[in-house]
Amino acid sequence: MRRRSLILAAVPAGLVTLAACGDDKSDSSKASEEASPSASETSAAPPPKIVDGPLPAITAGTKFGEKPTVAKGSGDPSDQLAVKTVIAGSGQTVAEKDFLWANYLGQIWDTGKVFDNSYDRKTPLFIQLSQGSIIDGWRYALAGKKVGSRVQFSVPPTWGYGKEGQSQAGIKGTDTLVFVVDLEGTFNSKSSAKGTDVPQDDATLPKVGTNTDGKAPSLKIPDSDAPTKLVAEYVIEGDGEEVAADSTVVVQYQGFVWDTKKKFDSSYDRSAPTSFSLQQVVKGWAQGLTGKKVGSRVVIVIPPSLGYGDNPPSGSGIEKDSTMVFTVDILAAS
């Protein structure tokens, strides 16, 4: 469980897990509770054998990023983990305990019934590839694959939802599941901005470090009065796509109060990037990141009118009418 991010607009400080992990889910995931590949409990099963098949054909939506159509399974599925790299990517290799950014479709072998897919939500799933966070079939099938790959695999109950199944999704304890997963990105505690350093010449604004080793960048807030309007400036300018006003983003970030210079929130302290929709955060965050490029580090100064105003989260350390300062590394967006 993780402490809920304080950048969310309408929720108090509390506990949260990543999209589709356990009981609490970020609002940005929009993943259906009953159908996500999250683990219902920690599996004690030994590792499966990885076999080539059988696997049903992908009959439509065959390109990476397209919603696939998958035929119903024919005959008996393997009692092990059948895995096929349908499209081989050339990006970063996925490792155990990484945080995946992936589109997927899942269906039942015997019936061909699709029980969930992220393509219709137009937002990839963001989830940690770790035991207890996701069904073991995903862990064994995807570790070692490269970003940009499409991977198809079948998961028998032993490495899926077990003998209990997942009744809300219509999955019985005897069902083998078929997944198609497009690996859009993979991130860990060392993930960082990548781009060109931008001069920081304005002495009235905070100065931010430009390290890209995954450690929290330094932040020096001037002793002068805080700006009264929103400030959002590049520290490092990436070359990725521009963030839209309704994007869901993956970020590393830290937040400080201007007047006290005290830190009140940080993904670096949790050793994990995080994901959320810009429609779910304080206005200053949404406005500050809109139009910025993926791969960038941005410093955002948020006046009270675009932050928490006179109603900051209880126990956050943020006083009423505080100006907040954030450094944000934009790792991905959809």
Side-chain angles (χ1 to χ4, degrees):
M1 298 285 281
R2 284 180 177 79
R3 182 174 174 270
R4 183 181 290 275
S5 166
L6 291 175
I7 59 179
L8 296 177
V11 293
L15 296 174
V16 70
T17 59
L18 295 176
C21 297
D23 295 329
D24 296 321
K25 292 180 285 294
S26 72
D27 295 329
S28 63
S29 74
K30 300 181 183 177
S32 56
E33 179 180 350
E34 68 274 9
S36 69
S38 60
S40 56
E41 60 183 32
T42 301
S43 172
K49 293 180 180 179
I50 306 298
V51 297
D52 293 333
L55 286 167
I58 299 174
T59 59
T62 57
K63 296 180 180 179
F64 183 89
E66 291 183 341
K67 179 184 176 181
T69 300
V70 183
K72 184 173 70 172
S74 177
D76 293 331
S78 174
D79 63 356
Q80 299 297 310
L81 202 66
V83 182
K84 179 181 180 181
T85 300
V86 181
I87 299 171
S90 58
Q92 183 177 342
T93 300
V94 175
E96 177 81 9
K97 297 186 179 180
D98 274 4
F99 292 85
L100 289 186
W101 182 242
N103 276 306
Y104 72 98
L105 177 140
Q107 69 183 46
I108 297 171
W109 176 282
D110 286 338
T111 65
K113 175 190 174 184
V114 175
F115 57 83
D116 191 31
N117 85 90
S118 66
Y119 301 92
D120 289 346
R121 294 189 290 272
K122 303 185 185 305
T123 300
L125 175 71
F126 185 70
I127 194 166
Q128 189 173 25
L129 198 69
S130 64
Q131 190 174 50
S133 293
I134 197 167
I135 58 174
D136 283 345
W138 274 57
R139 294 173 51 228
Y140 294 119
L142 297 178
K145 303 299 184 184
K146 291 184 179 294
V147 169
S149 296
R150 166 168 283 191
V151 184
Q152 183 184 17
F153 52 100
S154 66
V155 182
T158 302
W159 297 282
Y161 292 105
K163 295 179 180 179
E164 294 182 356
Q166 210 341 326
S167 60
Q168 289 179 311
I171 299 171
K172 302 190 300 292
T174 56
D175 282 336
T176 289
L177 310 178
V178 178
F179 290 97
V180 176
V181 178
D182 288 336
L183 294 171
E184 301 279 356
T186 188
F187 307 99
N188 55 42
S189 62
K190 295 183 179 180
S191 296
S192 182
K194 295 180 180 179
T196 303
D197 293 358
V198 175
Q200 301 178 64
D201 299 327
D202 191 338
T204 66
L205 296 180
K207 296 296 184 292
V208 182
T210 57
N211 60 295
T212 57
D213 55 2
K215 295 180 181 179
S218 60
L219 177 68
K220 184 177 181 180
I221 300 172
D223 293 328
S224 56
D225 291 339
T228 57
K229 295 182 179 181
L230 178 71
V231 174
E233 300 288 346
Y234 283 120
V235 176
I236 298 173
E237 184 172 358
D239 60 2
E241 63 182 297
E242 290 187 358
V243 175
D246 60 351
S247 287
T248 294
V249 294
V250 179
V251 297
Q252 290 269 40
Y253 74 95
Q254 55 183 341
F256 293 76
V257 175
W258 181 289
D259 288 341
T260 64
K261 300 179 174 55
K262 289 184 178 180
K263 180 173 63 179
F264 59 83
D265 195 13
S266 172
S267 66
Y268 299 96
D269 292 346
R270 297 188 287 273
S271 299
T274 191
S275 176
F276 51 83
S277 167
L278 292 190
Q279 296 179 320
Q280 300 292 332
V281 297
V282 294
K283 291 180 180 179
W285 257 77
Q287 294 178 19
L289 291 184
T290 297
K292 295 298 189 287
K293 298 174 185 177
V294 171
S296 299
R297 175 170 297 159
V298 181
V299 59
I300 307 176
V301 181
I302 302 178
S305 61
L306 296 177
Y308 291 111
D310 62 358
N311 189 31
S314 176
S316 65
I318 304 172
E319 300 295 331
K320 291 182 178 181
D321 298 320
S322 289
T323 294
M324 299 181 291
V325 182
F326 289 92
T327 70
V328 185
D329 282 14
I330 309 170
L331 305 179
S334 70

